[in-house]
Amino acid sequence: MGNSIAVLIGTSLLSFALITLVFFGLKALNKRKHPDKDEIKETNRQRREREKLKRQTTEKVTAYMKGEKSKDSENVPNGKRCGKYKKKNKKK
């Protein structure tokens, strides 16, 4: 009698754990397939930022190919700092 009760308790705990695991797994799968409005807004915002960055990059590349100076960069030849920023060697 005591052995059968232990088996009954063990199987019920195992089945409860399995049911809980399946429940939360299906809940996560459903949330992934059907996102909330807040999550959709977040992804739209990220998409807009990505498109803006892509647009800015294309503008910079086309400006460089045309030989135009870009608006937001410093006037520095070949991406290097000009002489006034270089360290001067002190005479000893």
Side-chain angles (χ1 to χ4, degrees), residues 69-86:
K69 293 182 180 178
S70 60
K71 297 172 261 183
D72 57 346
S73 67
E74 297 178 30
N75 187 13
V76 178
N78 298 328
K80 297 178 182 173
R81 291 292 200 159
C82 59
K84 79 176 192 180
Y85 292 105
K86 288 183 181 175

Side-chain angles (χ1 to χ4, degrees), residues 46-76:
Q46 290 174 345
R47 180 182 51 79
R48 282 193 304 270
E49 288 177 359
R50 186 177 62 247
E51 289 174 354
K52 179 182 175 185
L53 182 64
K54 185 179 177 183
R55 192 170 47 250
Q56 288 175 347
T57 305
T58 17
E59 288 173 1
K60 286 180 183 178
V61 168
T62 52
Y64 177 76
M65 296 299 279
K66 289 180 182 177
E68 299 172 354
K69 293 182 180 178
S70 60
K71 297 172 261 183
D72 57 346
S73 67
E74 297 178 30
N75 187 13
V76 178

Side-chain angles (χ1 to χ4, degrees), residues 19-35:
I19 289 170
T20 306
L21 186 69
V22 168
F23 172 75
F24 285 112
L26 289 175
K27 189 176 178 181
L29 186 65
N30 186 38
K31 189 169 180 75
R32 185 176 177 198
K33 287 186 177 180
H34 306 288

